[in-house]
């Protein structure tokens, strides 16, 4: 299927497949975040790592720029994922407004 011969239905099916892949990646990220939370609890490490969060956001903004994606969109997406990951940690030790 080339761009010239792709039908609307073909394109919609491709978008649907990409959506499924995105959800699978989010689920995988969630599982890894749960493991991170477990390790942090077991080793007494702080829940939040603001430097790591900042590095992740800056990195994803740069990657988005390289790929022709809005850096602001990429940052919003990562902030949402980070916020979601933080719900895995102890709720009493979180300040979600900081992310």
């Amino acid at each position: 299927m080339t761009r010239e011969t792709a039908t609307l239905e073909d394109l919609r099916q491709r978008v649907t497949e990409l959506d499924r892949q995105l959800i699978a990646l989010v689920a995988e990220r969630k599982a890894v975040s749960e493991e991170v939370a477990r390790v942090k609890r077991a080793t007494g490490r702080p829940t939040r790592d603001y430097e790591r969060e900042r590095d992740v956001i800056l990195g994803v903004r740069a990657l988005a720029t390289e790929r022709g994606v809005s850096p602001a969109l990429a940052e919003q997406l990562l902030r949402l994922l980070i916020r979601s990951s933080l719900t895995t940690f102890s709720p009493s030790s979180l300040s979600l407004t900081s992310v």
Side-chain angles (χ1 to χ4, degrees), residues 7-9 25-26 29-30 32 34-35 39 48 51 56-57 62 71 76-77 83 85 90-92:
T7 66
L8 179 59
E9 187 57 34
L25 288 170
V26 169
R29 188 183 197 285
K30 179 182 180 297
V32 172
E34 289 169 354
E35 188 65 15
V39 168
R48 298 295 298 268
E51 186 176 339
V56 168
I57 300 248
Q76 288 177 326
L77 178 59
R83 193 173 306 120
S85 294
S90 170
S92 62

Side-chain angles (χ1 to χ4, degrees), residues 27-62:
E28 183 176 351
R29 188 183 197 285
K30 179 182 180 297
V32 172
S33 294
E34 289 169 354
E35 188 65 15
V36 167
R38 186 192 66 71
V39 168
K40 283 185 173 187
R41 282 191 300 269
T43 60
R45 296 201 47 194
T47 301
R48 298 295 298 268
D49 184 341
Y50 293 104
E51 186 176 339
R52 168 76 176 141
E53 291 174 24
R54 181 184 54 96
D55 290 346
V56 168
I57 300 248
L58 291 174
V60 81
R61 286 184 63 90

Side-chain angles (χ1 to χ4, degrees), residues 22 42 45 59 68 96:
L22 282 170
R45 296 201 47 194
L96 295 180

